[in-house]
Amino acid sequence: MFRCALGLFLTLVGVSSATASLNHKQALSTEKTIPVRSVRSLSAAADLDSFRITKATEVLLDGRPTSYERIPHSATIILLETTTNESKEISRIHFRRRSADSQKP
C-alpha cells in the first residue's frame, strides 16, 4: 500500500514539474517593417542626446594628455566619466590605441 501511494505521489510530482518547465513562447510579430515616423524620432533624439567635450575635459591617449582632435579613429575608449548622471558633459575620457596603430610613429 505504501509503495503504491509513493509511486502515485512521485508520478504526480513529476507530471506537475514537467508541465511547469515547458517553454510557452509568445507568438512572434509578423510585421517586419519599421514605421518611418519611428525612425525620424530616433534620429532627432540622437542629436539631442550626444555627449559634449569641453575645454576642461581631461583627454588621455595611452596615458598621455592630448587634444581630442589628435585621437585616431581606431582608438578604443577605456574610460568615460560625466560630471553627473543626467549631464552629457564629459569630464574625463581615456583612449587606448590598437596594438597595430601603436607601432606607427
XYZ file of all heavy atoms in Angstrom:
813
model
N 0.815 -1.190 0.000
C 0.000 0.000 0.000
C 0.867 1.266 0.000
O 0.580 2.220 -0.693
C -0.936 -0.065 1.211
C -1.829 1.102 1.352
S -3.025 1.060 0.019
C -3.877 2.529 0.317
N 1.924 1.245 0.825
C 2.816 2.391 0.908
C 3.529 2.634 -0.416
O 3.699 3.771 -0.855
C 3.832 2.169 2.041
C 4.790 3.308 2.194
C 4.361 4.525 2.694
C 6.116 3.170 1.828
C 5.245 5.581 2.831
C 6.997 4.218 1.964
C 6.562 5.434 2.471
N 3.936 1.555 -1.080
C 4.625 1.692 -2.367
C 3.704 2.281 -3.425
O 4.130 3.088 -4.253
C 5.144 0.339 -2.835
C 6.302 -0.160 -2.029
C 6.812 -1.449 -2.603
N 7.826 -2.028 -1.719
C 8.377 -3.200 -1.896
N 7.998 -3.948 -2.916
N 9.281 -3.654 -1.065
N 2.458 1.883 -3.434
C 1.503 2.424 -4.407
C 1.287 3.914 -4.178
O 1.248 4.710 -5.127
C 0.172 1.681 -4.305
S 0.249 -0.003 -4.921
N 1.146 4.301 -2.907
C 0.936 5.710 -2.584
C 2.176 6.525 -2.952
O 2.070 7.637 -3.495
C 0.607 5.871 -1.099
N 3.366 5.982 -2.665
C 4.613 6.665 -3.004
C 4.770 6.772 -4.516
O 5.162 7.824 -5.036
C 5.805 5.919 -2.392
C 7.176 6.549 -2.610
C 7.231 7.925 -1.947
C 8.260 5.650 -2.066
N 4.430 5.744 -5.252
C 4.505 5.773 -6.714
C 3.547 6.787 -7.303
O 3.890 7.540 -8.235
N 2.323 6.845 -6.782
C 1.345 7.813 -7.247
C 1.810 9.240 -6.947
O 1.702 10.127 -7.792
C -0.014 7.549 -6.593
C -1.137 8.491 -6.984
C -1.441 8.367 -8.474
C -2.372 8.218 -6.144
N 2.344 9.459 -5.763
C 2.841 10.774 -5.368
C 3.984 11.228 -6.282
O 3.993 12.356 -6.783
C 3.307 10.754 -3.908
C 3.943 12.025 -3.465
C 3.170 13.153 -3.234
C 5.316 12.117 -3.282
C 3.754 14.332 -2.826
C 5.906 13.292 -2.879
C 5.119 14.406 -2.644
N 4.959 10.350 -6.526
C 6.095 10.696 -7.391
C 5.641 10.948 -8.827
O 6.181 11.822 -9.514
C 7.152 9.598 -7.338
C 7.887 9.459 -6.002
C 8.843 8.274 -6.046
C 8.631 10.731 -5.668
N 4.659 10.223 -9.308
C 4.136 10.438 -10.653
C 3.482 11.812 -10.758
O 3.702 12.553 -11.722
C 3.125 9.339 -11.020
O 3.760 8.074 -10.902
C 2.598 9.532 -12.429
N 2.680 12.170 -9.757
C 2.021 13.471 -9.779
C 3.022 14.612 -9.681
O 2.879 15.635 -10.358
C 0.990 13.556 -8.649
C -0.236 12.667 -8.816
C -1.121 12.758 -7.582
C -1.008 13.048 -10.055
N 4.047 14.450 -8.852
C 5.074 15.490 -8.738
C 5.845 15.617 -10.043
O 6.132 16.728 -10.514
C 6.020 15.188 -7.563
C 7.237 16.082 -7.593
C 5.286 15.334 -6.245
N 6.165 14.494 -10.675
C 6.904 14.523 -11.934
C 6.109 15.165 -13.049
O 6.637 15.937 -13.849
N 4.819 14.899 -13.130
C 3.975 15.466 -14.173
C 3.810 16.969 -13.960
O 3.893 17.761 -14.900
C 2.600 14.754 -14.208
C 1.613 15.505 -15.075
C 2.763 13.334 -14.712
N 3.599 17.399 -12.712
C 3.400 18.828 -12.476
C 4.675 19.624 -12.752
O 4.620 20.721 -13.288
C 2.916 19.072 -11.044
O 3.929 18.724 -10.126
N 5.827 19.069 -12.400
C 7.067 19.799 -12.691
C 7.393 19.777 -14.182
O 7.973 20.722 -14.707
C 8.221 19.225 -11.878
O 8.478 17.887 -12.265
N 7.009 18.723 -14.867
C 7.264 18.658 -16.308
C 6.415 19.676 -17.054
O 6.882 20.335 -17.983
C 6.992 17.258 -16.840
N 5.176 19.849 -16.657
C 4.332 20.831 -17.339
C 4.750 22.250 -16.981
O 4.586 23.161 -17.784
C 2.848 20.619 -16.988
O 2.692 20.697 -15.574
C 2.348 19.290 -17.499
N 5.288 22.436 -15.787
C 5.736 23.773 -15.398
C 7.002 24.176 -16.146
O 7.263 25.357 -16.351
C 5.981 23.826 -13.898
N 7.802 23.211 -16.556
C 9.059 23.534 -17.218
C 8.925 23.727 -18.724
O 9.878 24.099 -19.390
C 10.090 22.439 -16.944
O 9.688 21.239 -17.560
N 7.752 23.490 -19.274
C 7.567 23.708 -20.706
C 7.686 25.190 -21.012
O 7.210 26.035 -20.264
C 6.203 23.194 -21.165
C 6.031 21.680 -21.151
C 4.598 21.334 -21.530
C 6.994 21.015 -22.100
N 8.301 25.489 -22.117
C 8.520 26.871 -22.507
C 7.355 27.332 -23.362
O 7.152 26.862 -24.473
C 9.841 26.994 -23.277
C 10.230 28.421 -23.506
O 9.583 29.333 -23.021
N 11.294 28.616 -24.257
N 6.567 28.261 -22.838
C 5.425 28.794 -23.578
C 5.849 30.101 -24.218
O 5.813 31.151 -23.600
C 4.238 29.009 -22.641
C 3.772 27.752 -21.989
N 3.067 26.786 -22.663
C 3.935 27.264 -20.733
C 2.792 25.790 -21.855
N 3.317 26.053 -20.665
N 6.259 30.057 -25.481
C 6.694 31.254 -26.195
C 5.491 32.011 -26.717
O 4.510 31.420 -27.160
C 7.605 30.894 -27.363
C 8.939 30.357 -26.943
C 9.823 30.131 -28.140
C 11.174 29.624 -27.708
N 12.045 29.393 -28.846
N 5.621 33.330 -26.693
C 4.585 34.156 -27.287
C 4.782 34.167 -28.800
O 5.894 34.024 -29.299
C 4.661 35.569 -26.744
C 4.366 35.654 -25.268
C 4.492 37.076 -24.758
O 4.856 37.968 -25.505
N 4.188 37.259 -23.494
N 3.712 34.371 -29.508
C 3.787 34.404 -30.968
C 4.642 35.590 -31.413
O 4.505 36.698 -30.898
C 2.390 34.513 -31.552
N 5.535 35.344 -32.361
C 6.394 36.398 -32.878
C 5.604 37.305 -33.811
O 4.691 36.865 -34.510
C 7.577 35.789 -33.635
C 8.524 34.940 -32.799
C 9.575 34.318 -33.704
C 9.189 35.779 -31.739
N 5.963 38.544 -33.811
C 5.292 39.504 -34.676
C 5.641 39.209 -36.127
O 6.789 38.939 -36.468
C 5.724 40.922 -34.313
O 5.187 41.832 -35.221
N 4.648 39.279 -36.975
C 4.888 39.027 -38.398
C 5.242 40.302 -39.137
O 5.649 40.254 -40.286
C 3.638 38.406 -39.041
O 2.525 39.278 -38.844
C 3.335 37.047 -38.436
N 5.099 41.459 -38.473
C 5.416 42.728 -39.119
C 6.927 42.940 -39.118
O 7.573 42.918 -38.076
C 4.735 43.870 -38.371
C 4.854 45.191 -39.079
C 4.085 46.267 -38.337
O 3.069 45.947 -37.720
O 4.528 47.412 -38.389
N 7.519 43.122 -40.271
C 8.964 43.238 -40.408
C 9.435 44.664 -40.658
O 10.614 44.944 -40.554
C 9.466 42.353 -41.559
C 9.173 40.898 -41.387
C 10.073 40.275 -40.375
C 9.797 38.788 -40.317
N 10.449 38.114 -39.267
N 8.555 45.565 -41.023
C 8.970 46.915 -41.366
C 8.843 47.839 -40.164
O 8.011 47.630 -39.282
C 8.112 47.476 -42.516
O 6.750 47.490 -42.099
C 8.263 46.635 -43.765
N 9.673 48.857 -40.132
C 9.637 49.864 -39.087
C 8.984 51.106 -39.665
O 9.378 51.577 -40.729
C 11.064 50.195 -38.609
C 11.713 48.951 -38.031
C 11.046 51.316 -37.591
C 13.165 49.142 -37.659
N 8.014 51.675 -38.959
C 7.378 52.880 -39.477
C 8.374 54.032 -39.583
O 9.247 54.194 -38.744
C 6.302 53.198 -38.439
C 6.118 51.967 -37.640
C 7.395 51.199 -37.748
N 8.252 54.819 -40.652
C 9.161 55.936 -40.905
C 9.104 56.948 -39.764
O 10.111 57.521 -39.374
C 8.819 56.602 -42.253
C 9.652 57.846 -42.487
C 9.009 55.614 -43.379
N 7.944 57.136 -39.175
C 7.775 58.081 -38.076
C 8.689 57.700 -36.895
O 9.294 58.553 -36.262
C 6.317 58.070 -37.654
C 5.958 59.019 -36.579
C 4.477 58.948 -36.317
N 3.984 57.590 -36.617
C 2.966 57.015 -36.021
N 2.292 57.657 -35.133
N 2.593 55.808 -36.339
N 8.837 56.411 -36.610
C 9.695 55.959 -35.515
C 11.167 56.242 -35.809
O 11.920 56.635 -34.930
C 9.520 54.463 -35.282
O 8.200 54.184 -34.932
N 11.589 56.027 -37.040
C 12.977 56.256 -37.417
C 13.321 57.737 -37.314
O 14.395 58.108 -36.839
C 13.243 55.711 -38.834
C 14.637 56.059 -39.296
C 13.015 54.218 -38.872
N 12.422 58.604 -37.740
C 12.666 60.047 -37.646
C 12.799 60.487 -36.201
O 13.660 61.290 -35.862
C 11.534 60.809 -38.312
C 11.575 60.753 -39.808
C 10.474 61.599 -40.401
N 10.385 61.375 -41.834
C 9.305 61.530 -42.543
N 8.184 61.921 -41.955
N 9.306 61.306 -43.825
N 11.974 59.971 -35.316
C 12.049 60.372 -33.907
C 13.346 59.881 -33.274
O 13.912 60.552 -32.424
C 10.839 59.845 -33.136
O 10.868 58.441 -33.069
N 13.840 58.717 -33.692
C 15.103 58.218 -33.153
C 16.275 59.085 -33.586
O 17.171 59.363 -32.801
C 15.337 56.768 -33.603
C 14.501 55.711 -32.908
C 14.772 54.346 -33.527
C 14.777 55.679 -31.425
N 16.303 59.517 -34.835
C 17.411 60.332 -35.308
C 17.408 61.702 -34.636
O 18.449 62.256 -34.329
C 17.383 60.469 -36.821
O 16.219 61.159 -37.215
N 16.248 62.263 -34.377
C 16.162 63.553 -33.697
C 16.599 63.422 -32.245
O 17.278 64.296 -31.709
C 14.746 64.090 -33.779
N 16.248 62.332 -31.601
C 16.629 62.124 -30.207
C 18.136 61.893 -30.088
O 18.754 62.273 -29.096
C 15.869 60.942 -29.630
N 18.744 61.275 -31.086
C 20.186 61.017 -31.039
C 20.973 62.320 -31.080
O 22.015 62.445 -30.448
C 20.591 60.116 -32.193
N 20.491 63.321 -31.817
C 21.179 64.603 -31.871
C 21.131 65.310 -30.528
O 22.080 65.963 -30.122
C 20.548 65.492 -32.942
C 20.778 64.946 -34.341
O 21.732 64.153 -34.504
O 20.003 65.293 -35.246
N 20.026 65.194 -29.829
C 19.878 65.860 -28.543
C 20.618 65.134 -27.426
O 20.953 65.739 -26.415
C 18.386 65.967 -28.184
C 17.541 66.799 -29.131
C 16.083 66.715 -28.716
C 18.013 68.236 -29.156
N 20.864 63.839 -27.586
C 21.486 63.051 -26.537
C 22.991 62.883 -26.691
O 23.584 62.073 -26.015
C 20.850 61.658 -26.495
C 19.747 61.578 -25.475
O 19.585 62.545 -24.730
O 19.072 60.545 -25.421
N 23.643 63.609 -27.570
C 25.062 63.404 -27.793
C 25.883 63.967 -26.641
O 25.515 64.938 -25.993
C 25.485 64.049 -29.112
O 25.243 65.432 -29.053
N 27.008 63.326 -26.369
C 27.917 63.766 -25.309
C 28.680 65.003 -25.770
O 28.918 65.195 -26.948
C 28.897 62.643 -24.960
C 28.254 61.531 -24.195
C 27.802 60.399 -24.836
C 28.101 61.611 -22.825
C 27.210 59.367 -24.135
C 27.512 60.594 -22.117
C 27.069 59.472 -22.769
N 29.083 65.834 -24.815
C 29.812 67.062 -25.125
C 31.193 67.039 -24.474
O 31.324 66.759 -23.290
C 29.026 68.274 -24.605
C 27.715 68.487 -25.307
C 27.016 69.729 -24.801
N 26.806 69.762 -23.360
C 25.792 69.192 -22.711
N 24.886 68.531 -23.394
N 25.674 69.295 -21.410
N 32.212 67.368 -25.263
C 33.579 67.516 -24.761
C 33.867 69.003 -24.681
O 33.689 69.734 -25.650
C 34.583 66.800 -25.676
C 34.324 65.297 -25.633
C 36.005 67.123 -25.272
C 35.223 64.484 -26.498
N 34.325 69.451 -23.514
C 34.618 70.868 -23.308
C 36.125 71.071 -23.192
O 36.895 70.112 -23.251
C 33.935 71.379 -22.026
O 34.480 70.674 -20.912
C 32.428 71.165 -22.079
N 36.549 72.315 -23.007
C 37.974 72.591 -22.828
C 38.488 72.047 -21.508
O 39.672 71.785 -21.357
C 38.227 74.092 -22.911
C 38.009 74.635 -24.295
C 38.372 76.082 -24.384
C 38.144 76.551 -25.812
N 38.672 77.874 -26.065
N 37.604 71.871 -20.535
C 38.001 71.340 -19.223
C 38.062 69.818 -19.195
O 38.501 69.237 -18.207
C 37.025 71.825 -18.163
N 37.665 69.151 -20.281
C 37.669 67.689 -20.332
C 39.098 67.161 -20.361
O 39.928 67.623 -21.136
C 36.916 67.196 -21.578
O 35.589 67.695 -21.547
C 36.883 65.695 -21.646
N 39.368 66.167 -19.511
C 40.685 65.521 -19.489
C 40.687 64.432 -20.558
O 39.954 63.453 -20.472
C 40.925 64.888 -18.118
C 42.194 64.084 -18.025
C 42.302 63.375 -16.684
O 42.308 64.070 -15.653
O 42.373 62.135 -16.682
N 41.521 64.602 -21.592
C 41.614 63.646 -22.697
C 42.997 63.017 -22.664
O 44.010 63.707 -22.760
C 41.384 64.343 -24.065
C 41.480 63.335 -25.194
C 40.041 65.040 -24.087
N 43.030 61.682 -22.503
C 44.296 60.951 -22.478
C 44.308 59.903 -23.578
O 43.302 59.245 -23.827
C 44.504 60.257 -21.126
C 44.616 61.128 -19.883
C 44.809 60.257 -18.653
C 45.745 62.111 -20.006
N 45.461 59.738 -24.221
C 45.683 58.683 -25.212
C 46.872 57.876 -24.732
O 47.988 58.407 -24.626
C 45.949 59.273 -26.596
C 46.288 58.271 -27.699
C 45.126 57.325 -27.950
C 46.672 58.998 -28.977
N 46.658 56.624 -24.403
C 47.687 55.736 -23.852
C 48.347 56.350 -22.618
O 49.566 56.254 -22.424
C 48.745 55.409 -24.910
C 48.171 54.600 -26.059
O 47.232 53.805 -25.822
O 48.653 54.758 -27.195
N 47.553 57.008 -21.780
C 48.060 57.578 -20.537
C 48.716 58.938 -20.673
O 49.215 59.476 -19.694
N 48.732 59.498 -21.866
C 49.363 60.806 -22.088
C 48.315 61.835 -22.486
O 47.460 61.550 -23.326
C 50.416 60.707 -23.186
C 51.539 59.788 -22.828
C 52.606 59.811 -23.895
N 53.623 58.847 -23.574
C 54.038 57.896 -24.390
N 53.537 57.817 -25.600
N 54.962 57.056 -24.006
N 48.394 63.058 -21.947
C 47.424 64.098 -22.334
C 47.576 64.464 -23.808
O 48.692 64.541 -24.331
C 47.787 65.279 -21.444
C 48.722 64.772 -20.423
C 49.299 63.494 -20.902
N 46.461 64.664 -24.459
C 46.444 65.056 -25.863
C 45.142 65.780 -26.147
O 44.239 65.791 -25.324
C 46.603 63.828 -26.788
O 46.744 64.271 -28.127
C 45.432 62.900 -26.683
N 45.043 66.389 -27.313
C 43.782 67.027 -27.688
C 42.878 65.990 -28.341
O 43.342 65.002 -28.917
C 44.038 68.189 -28.650
O 44.573 67.690 -29.857
N 41.588 66.240 -28.276
C 40.622 65.292 -28.827
C 40.777 65.140 -30.339
O 40.562 64.060 -30.884
C 39.199 65.732 -28.477
C 38.152 64.784 -28.979
C 37.963 63.558 -28.370
C 37.359 65.119 -30.083
C 37.007 62.677 -28.835
C 36.399 64.244 -30.550
C 36.228 63.025 -29.922
O 35.292 62.158 -30.391
N 41.177 66.185 -31.016
C 41.331 66.132 -32.467
C 42.459 65.191 -32.906
O 42.478 64.723 -34.027
C 41.599 67.536 -33.030
C 40.429 68.491 -32.915
C 40.245 69.047 -31.509
O 41.242 69.095 -30.740
O 39.111 69.411 -31.180
N 43.416 64.931 -32.029
C 44.556 64.076 -32.391
C 44.311 62.597 -32.082
O 45.197 61.772 -32.294
C 45.795 64.560 -31.647
C 46.144 66.001 -32.064
C 47.470 66.416 -31.592
N 48.479 65.576 -32.235
C 49.750 65.552 -31.885
N 50.167 66.331 -30.916
N 50.595 64.777 -32.495
N 43.141 62.253 -31.621
C 42.819 60.860 -31.313
C 42.541 60.121 -32.622
O 41.730 60.564 -33.429
C 41.570 60.768 -30.395
C 41.780 61.536 -29.102
C 41.187 59.323 -30.108
C 42.833 60.974 -28.197
N 43.223 58.982 -32.881
C 42.949 58.224 -34.109
C 41.548 57.591 -34.065
O 41.022 57.299 -32.997
C 44.034 57.140 -34.130
C 44.628 57.110 -32.785
C 44.304 58.381 -32.100
N 40.961 57.380 -35.228
C 39.611 56.819 -35.320
C 39.555 55.379 -34.816
O 38.502 54.915 -34.395
C 39.088 56.879 -36.759
C 38.847 58.274 -37.224
N 37.825 59.049 -36.743
C 39.519 59.044 -38.123
C 37.859 60.229 -37.322
N 38.879 60.260 -38.172
N 40.660 54.686 -34.839
C 40.670 53.290 -34.414
C 40.888 53.127 -32.909
O 40.897 52.011 -32.404
C 41.754 52.522 -35.168
O 43.020 53.092 -34.885
N 41.057 54.226 -32.180
C 41.292 54.151 -30.741
C 40.034 53.685 -30.020
O 38.914 53.931 -30.465
C 41.741 55.501 -30.206
N 40.236 53.018 -28.881
C 39.145 52.492 -28.082
C 39.002 53.301 -26.807
O 40.000 53.617 -26.158
C 39.424 51.021 -27.709
O 39.667 50.279 -28.894
C 38.262 50.412 -26.957
N 37.784 53.616 -26.429
C 37.535 54.328 -25.168
C 37.648 53.331 -24.027
O 36.975 52.295 -24.027
C 36.143 54.975 -25.169
C 36.042 56.026 -26.263
C 35.826 55.588 -23.806
C 34.661 56.609 -26.421
N 38.507 53.627 -23.051
C 38.634 52.749 -21.888
C 38.027 53.374 -20.637
O 37.768 52.676 -19.669
C 40.099 52.334 -21.638
C 40.987 53.542 -21.446
C 40.599 51.461 -22.760
C 42.406 53.208 -21.045
N 37.802 54.692 -20.642
C 37.148 55.362 -19.520
C 36.396 56.563 -20.047
O 36.940 57.345 -20.831
C 38.171 55.823 -18.481
C 37.585 56.648 -17.339
C 37.085 55.735 -16.245
C 38.603 57.600 -16.791
N 35.146 56.698 -19.630
C 34.351 57.861 -19.979
C 33.602 58.261 -18.716
O 32.840 57.476 -18.172
C 33.362 57.546 -21.091
C 32.616 58.767 -21.617
C 32.690 58.788 -23.123
C 31.200 58.787 -21.164
N 33.869 59.466 -18.231
C 33.266 59.930 -16.987
C 32.535 61.239 -17.242
O 33.102 62.177 -17.796
C 34.370 60.135 -15.950
C 33.877 60.497 -14.580
C 35.039 60.597 -13.625
O 35.728 59.595 -13.391
O 35.261 61.714 -13.126
N 31.270 61.295 -16.833
C 30.489 62.518 -16.975
C 30.426 63.239 -15.633
O 30.703 62.643 -14.592
C 29.053 62.212 -17.455
O 28.445 61.320 -16.536
C 29.065 61.604 -18.843
N 30.048 64.511 -15.670
C 30.016 65.285 -14.434
C 28.900 64.810 -13.512
O 29.107 64.682 -12.311
C 29.849 66.783 -14.729
O 28.711 66.955 -15.568
C 31.071 67.330 -15.427
N 27.716 64.536 -14.047
C 26.613 63.975 -13.267
C 25.928 62.898 -14.091
O 26.219 62.730 -15.275
C 25.564 65.056 -12.904
O 24.987 65.541 -14.114
C 26.168 66.196 -12.118
N 25.001 62.186 -13.478
C 24.284 61.142 -14.210
C 23.378 61.715 -15.289
O 23.184 61.107 -16.325
C 23.446 60.306 -13.243
C 24.302 59.426 -12.376
O 25.456 59.169 -12.697
N 23.744 58.959 -11.279
N 22.811 62.887 -15.050
C 21.902 63.481 -16.021
C 22.641 64.271 -17.094
O 22.145 64.469 -18.181
C 20.908 64.418 -15.320
C 19.941 63.696 -14.407
C 20.505 63.435 -13.024
O 21.446 64.149 -12.615
O 20.030 62.512 -12.363
N 23.837 64.737 -16.790
C 24.585 65.589 -17.707
C 25.247 64.762 -18.803
O 25.686 63.645 -18.572
C 25.654 66.353 -16.938
O 26.501 67.026 -17.821
N 25.321 65.322 -19.972
C 26.030 64.675 -21.088
C 27.399 65.316 -21.295
O 28.045 65.079 -22.296
C 25.208 64.773 -22.376
C 23.909 64.027 -22.325
C 24.145 62.542 -22.264
C 22.830 61.803 -22.270
N 22.995 60.382 -22.308
N 27.846 66.122 -20.362
C 29.147 66.780 -20.452
C 30.214 65.840 -19.887
O 30.124 65.388 -18.752
C 29.134 68.080 -19.654
C 30.400 68.879 -19.807
C 30.276 70.222 -19.104
O 29.273 70.906 -19.351
O 31.173 70.538 -18.327
N 31.236 65.566 -20.694
C 32.281 64.618 -20.306
C 33.356 65.345 -19.517
O 33.866 66.375 -19.952
C 32.892 63.944 -21.555
C 31.807 63.175 -22.295
C 34.042 63.046 -21.180
C 32.250 62.627 -23.617
N 33.702 64.789 -18.345
C 34.775 65.392 -17.546
C 36.108 64.685 -17.802
O 37.153 65.328 -17.792
C 34.433 65.352 -16.059
O 34.287 64.018 -15.634
N 36.089 63.378 -18.027
C 37.316 62.625 -18.323
C 37.015 61.572 -19.382
O 36.003 60.891 -19.316
C 37.823 61.902 -17.068
C 38.314 62.825 -16.007
C 38.612 62.107 -14.704
N 39.330 60.858 -14.914
C 39.553 59.980 -13.937
N 39.117 60.197 -12.730
N 40.217 58.880 -14.185
N 37.929 61.449 -20.352
C 37.813 60.400 -21.362
C 39.217 59.907 -21.680
O 40.121 60.694 -21.957
C 37.060 60.893 -22.630
C 36.845 59.738 -23.604
C 37.749 62.053 -23.296
C 35.830 60.024 -24.668
N 39.402 58.598 -21.571
C 40.713 57.993 -21.817
C 40.590 57.010 -22.975
O 39.641 56.231 -23.036
C 41.204 57.254 -20.576
C 41.429 58.156 -19.403
N 41.943 57.701 -18.229
C 41.219 59.485 -19.219
C 42.038 58.698 -17.365
N 41.586 59.788 -17.950
N 41.572 57.069 -23.873
C 41.602 56.213 -25.061
C 42.823 55.308 -25.018
O 43.833 55.627 -24.388
C 41.684 57.053 -26.345
C 40.463 57.872 -26.616
C 40.368 59.175 -26.155
C 39.419 57.346 -27.343
C 39.260 59.942 -26.417
C 38.297 58.109 -27.613
C 38.218 59.404 -27.144
N 42.740 54.186 -25.743
C 43.878 53.297 -25.939
C 43.951 52.971 -27.428
O 42.952 52.674 -28.069
C 43.697 52.005 -25.154
C 44.896 51.081 -25.309
C 44.728 49.743 -24.636
N 44.203 49.888 -23.298
C 43.432 48.970 -22.701
N 43.105 47.869 -23.339
N 42.995 49.157 -21.489
N 45.164 53.057 -27.982
C 45.348 52.695 -29.399
C 45.348 51.183 -29.552
O 45.684 50.463 -28.625
C 46.710 53.198 -29.895
C 46.790 54.652 -30.085
C 48.098 54.982 -30.708
N 48.601 56.191 -30.084
C 49.550 56.928 -30.592
N 50.117 56.577 -31.710
N 49.934 58.000 -29.991
N 45.031 50.748 -30.747
C 45.202 49.342 -31.068
C 46.693 49.040 -31.153
O 47.491 49.907 -31.421
C 44.547 49.008 -32.400
C 43.049 49.038 -32.342
C 42.520 48.566 -33.660
N 41.085 48.676 -33.695
C 40.371 48.527 -34.793
N 40.967 48.282 -35.927
N 39.071 48.634 -34.735
N 47.068 47.792 -30.967
C 48.488 47.438 -30.984
C 49.111 47.699 -32.369
O 50.271 48.064 -32.458
C 48.669 45.968 -30.593
O 47.969 45.136 -31.469
N 48.339 47.538 -33.450
C 48.871 47.796 -34.795
C 49.139 49.276 -34.991
O 50.083 49.666 -35.661
C 47.894 47.277 -35.840
N 48.295 50.151 -34.390
C 48.470 51.597 -34.526
C 49.634 52.111 -33.689
O 50.264 53.112 -34.023
C 47.204 52.345 -34.094
C 46.057 52.085 -35.048
O 46.336 51.665 -36.198
O 44.915 52.300 -34.653
N 49.933 51.467 -32.577
C 50.983 51.966 -31.688
C 52.376 51.771 -32.258
O 53.322 52.413 -31.827
C 50.869 51.283 -30.320
O 51.094 49.904 -30.451
N 52.532 50.889 -33.252
C 53.841 50.677 -33.844
C 54.164 51.725 -34.901
O 55.296 51.888 -35.292
C 53.912 49.279 -34.460
C 53.811 48.205 -33.385
C 53.847 46.814 -33.996
O 54.058 46.654 -35.187
N 53.659 45.806 -33.157
N 53.171 52.482 -35.364
C 53.424 53.562 -36.322
C 53.950 54.772 -35.568
O 53.535 55.043 -34.461
C 52.122 53.936 -37.054
C 51.605 52.825 -37.930
C 50.333 53.257 -38.600
C 49.780 52.133 -39.461
N 48.512 52.521 -40.063
N 54.858 55.549 -36.153
C 55.412 56.716 -35.439
C 54.431 57.826 -35.285
O 53.520 58.061 -35.905
C 56.584 57.149 -36.289
C 56.413 56.491 -37.626
C 55.492 55.342 -37.439
